[in-house]
Amino acid sequence: MTSFRTIASGSSGNASLLSCGSTHLLIDMGISCRRTLAALKEMGLTAEDLSGILIAHEPTDHIGGLATYIKKYSTPIS
């Protein structure tokens, strides 16, 4: 089953999760790494469960937490 969950939406940051089975794609990371990981944890997921991260475009409200995240995790990013 495919699901789409909004983690954050707005000028202060955007992040969503698209899931299908065991495939989980984070769309944007405009909120802090800590907040993103906390949201994933609430969904029963960890950073290691992410199949990839898709960045729609590069303004801060779409990539705000990405710099911190890539220091710790090697998730593919497009």
Side-chain angles (χ1 to χ4, degrees), residues 22-61:
S22 63
T23 301
H24 306 285
L25 179 64
L26 185 67
I27 303 171
D28 292 330
M29 192 183 288
I31 56 176
S32 71
C33 180
R34 179 180 296 172
R35 189 171 160 201
T36 300
L37 295 175
L40 290 174
K41 184 176 180 178
E42 287 180 19
M43 295 178 211
L45 300 171
T46 67
E48 289 80 10
D49 294 317
L50 294 176
S51 304
I53 300 172
L54 174 65
I55 302 299
H57 57 154
E58 296 182 12
T60 304
D61 64 324

